[in-house]
Amino acid sequence: MDNYYEFDKQGCYSYRKIAFVTIPILLSMLMEHIIGMTDTAFLGRVSEVALGASALGSVYFLAFFVLGSGFSFGAQILIARRNGEKNFQRAGEICYAGAFFLVIISVLLVAAIKYLSPVLLPYMIKSKDVCRATIEYLDWRIYGLFFTFITGVFRAFYVGIARTKILTYSSIAMVLSNVLLNYALIFGKYGMPQMGISGAALASSIAEAIAFLFYVFYTLKYTDLKKYGFNKWRAAFDRGILKNVFSVSSWMMLQPFLSISVWFFFFIAVERLGERQLAVVNLARALSALPFIVVHAYAVTANTLVSNLIGEGKTHQVWHLIRKILFLAYTSVTPMLIIFAFFPELCLGIYTDNTSLISASVSVIYVMCAASFLQIGAFVLFNSMSGTGAVKMTVLIESVTLFIYCIFVWMVIIRMRPTPAVAWGAEILYQGIMIVLCLIYMLRGNWKNKAL
């Protein structure tokens, strides 16, 4: 793409460039969302216990998954900065260092989750049936950690160098395999055993392995290994590079781990309201995932383009870029939220055919739409902050926001035992505080001289 399309008259990235980076990220996330959507849709036709347990198991798994994705996200910031500086060798070496670290971490986490979860979860989950189903889900789901961690490094590299088409291709391969395996393993089709909730977990793990192999094949065949230093195997053991990556990534690992851990606390609190209430909130979670992935795609674009822009010495254009991305994000997501608000029963029918469950979920959808609208500004601003290199400040802001969120969960959900709609109000509180704190920091301008 030539410079005419890369930049606008002010020297900032053009709308076309933003779309060029965002659309493949969005498509890949959309494909991955279909994995969660098919899990929910199939298990919603098994039982309310399976539906609720899959929510708890997914969020519990996600709390560990984000340790790897947070590390990869930190690596992505550095890759984008080196790419903006035209230091391509260093960008590739960062990938090797990240992969080396994540292989070790994934093995340790799989072992820890396998043996500690059956001991810890009975103390957290009130319903014995839900607890048992959650453990069954995790028994197979944890093996996907290895593949998702390494795939995260590939994703960080291709997003960091703004070559994002591969994300779409790998996600399509993952989704197609997951849908087929889900149907076969949950219900026992095509000669497969009928595994129920365990089948959903196994299908997801196998699909992630297929995505990993796809990235390996694509990189070996279509990427210039020498240009990016991928032929230097010693880079994987370079402590200097790993230390540099970890100086940024450690904070990016801590931030989402705290966030998802608190979200798991939210689901534990809702589970104590009853199995029906947990199922209702899981349906809202499943429906909220669609606008979330659109917002997330724009947020990832903001992160990598802000970092590239600073690497090119155009710090003064950062706010102009953020305003462009916010405009596109709100334009993309708002129509979707309007459809959810006006046709909630139709949208919820995708996930379950239980009419009483759908009726009980409608009020939650209205609250979810309001929270998702605020989420647009919160996520784009927060990830723009990360792109500037202000990773310690992002953790501080996240910690303050989550502390207030936990107070709400404890005082309102656990002690007052409200309806699921009131419980989901915690998300409105979270997004609102995040917007305010991110705006305060970004307007002060202390991020402009951050060095990575």
Side-chain angles (χ1 to χ4, degrees), residues 38 73 150 157 174 220 245 251 317 388:
T38 52
F73 199 41
I150 308 304
F157 171 70
M174 181 166 63
L220 292 175
V245 177
W251 298 101
Q317 293 291 346
T388 68

Side-chain angles (χ1 to χ4, degrees), residues 311-433:
E312 294 169 7
K314 298 180 179 179
T315 305
H316 61 287
Q317 293 291 346
V318 167
W319 264 115
H320 184 44
L321 173 66
I322 293 173
R323 286 194 294 269
K324 283 185 168 185
I325 294 174
L326 281 171
F327 172 76
L328 291 173
Y330 273 106
T331 303
S332 302
V333 175
T334 303
M336 191 185 311
L337 298 179
I338 292 173
I339 293 173
F340 289 170
F342 278 91
F343 307 101
E345 293 92 347
L346 181 64
C347 297
L348 289 167
I350 298 172
Y351 299 100
T352 182
D353 53 5
N354 187 326
T355 55
S356 65
L357 186 58
I358 290 174
S359 297
S361 304
V362 170
S363 59
V364 186
I365 301 307
Y366 298 140
V367 181
M368 180 273 289
C369 289
S372 296
F373 187 80
L374 291 175
Q375 187 180 65
I376 301 170
F379 261 61
V380 171
L381 288 170
F382 187 79
N383 281 270
S384 296
M385 275 186 60
S386 299
T388 68
V391 290
K392 292 183 181 179
M393 184 55 64
T394 60
V395 174
L396 177 60
I397 287 176
E398 181 79 358
S399 299
V400 172
T401 306
L402 290 175
F403 178 73
I404 299 172
Y405 183 93
C406 284
I407 292 176
F408 180 92
V409 171
W410 176 259
M411 297 299 294
V412 176
I413 301 178
I414 293 180
R415 299 189 65 178
M416 298 177 63
R417 301 180 65 83
T419 63
V422 174
W424 200 268
E427 291 298 310
I428 293 179
L429 178 68
Y430 175 89
Q431 308 300 345
I433 296 172

Side-chain angles (χ1 to χ4, degrees), residues 158-423:
Y158 286 110
V159 172
I161 66 173
R163 263 181 62 187
T164 51
K165 287 184 178 180
I166 172 58
L167 274 64
T168 303
Y169 303 146
S170 65
S171 296
I172 290 173
M174 181 166 63
V175 165
L176 291 177
S177 58
N178 183 75
V179 171
L180 180 62
L181 288 168
N182 246 322
Y183 181 68
L185 292 171
I186 291 175
F187 300 112
K189 305 296 183 178
Y190 310 124
M192 297 290 187
Q194 184 176 347
M195 298 177 65
I197 191 171
S198 298
L202 178 58
S204 296
S205 295
I206 295 174
E208 286 161 350
I210 291 172
F212 163 73
L213 294 175
F214 195 95
Y215 270 110
V216 171
F217 171 79
Y218 181 92
T219 301
L220 292 175
K221 188 170 180 62
Y222 297 107
T223 303
D224 189 337
L225 303 182
K226 185 176 181 181
K227 176 181 178 180
Y228 292 103
F230 286 161
N231 58 327
K232 297 182 179 180
W233 291 92
R234 60 180 176 81
F237 302 92
D238 191 318
R239 293 182 179 180
I241 295 174
L242 187 58
K243 184 178 180 181
N244 186 30
V245 177
F246 201 77
S247 66
V248 177
S249 294
S250 58
W251 298 101
M252 304 307 295
M253 295 167 70
L254 178 61
Q255 177 265 317
F257 179 75
L258 289 174
S259 180
I260 299 300
S261 296
V262 170
W263 207 32
F264 181 68
F265 174 52
F266 167 79
F267 274 92
I268 289 294
V270 172
E271 187 268 339
R272 293 175 181 274
L273 301 178
E275 293 177 358
R276 164 56 65 91
Q277 287 81 354
L278 179 61
V280 165
V281 169
N282 190 29
L283 286 177
R285 178 190 70 88
L287 199 59
S288 71
L290 189 55
F292 170 76
I293 62 170
V294 179
V295 175
H296 197 184
Y298 280 110
V300 171
T301 298
N303 179 278
T304 193
L305 291 186
V306 164
S307 191
N308 268 279
L309 208 59
I310 295 174
E312 294 169 7
K314 298 180 179 179
T315 305
H316 61 287
Q317 293 291 346
V318 167
W319 264 115
H320 184 44
L321 173 66
I322 293 173
R323 286 194 294 269
K324 283 185 168 185
I325 294 174
L326 281 171
F327 172 76
L328 291 173
Y330 273 106
T331 303
S332 302
V333 175
T334 303
M336 191 185 311
L337 298 179
I338 292 173
I339 293 173
F340 289 170
F342 278 91
F343 307 101
E345 293 92 347
L346 181 64
C347 297
L348 289 167
I350 298 172
Y351 299 100
T352 182
D353 53 5
N354 187 326
T355 55
S356 65
L357 186 58
I358 290 174
S359 297
S361 304
V362 170
S363 59
V364 186
I365 301 307
Y366 298 140
V367 181
M368 180 273 289
C369 289
S372 296
F373 187 80
L374 291 175
Q375 187 180 65
I376 301 170
F379 261 61
V380 171
L381 288 170
F382 187 79
N383 281 270
S384 296
M385 275 186 60
S386 299
T388 68
V391 290
K392 292 183 181 179
M393 184 55 64
T394 60
V395 174
L396 177 60
I397 287 176
E398 181 79 358
S399 299
V400 172
T401 306
L402 290 175
F403 178 73
I404 299 172
Y405 183 93
C406 284
I407 292 176
F408 180 92
V409 171
W410 176 259
M411 297 299 294
V412 176
I413 301 178
I414 293 180
R415 299 189 65 178
M416 298 177 63
R417 301 180 65 83
T419 63
V422 174

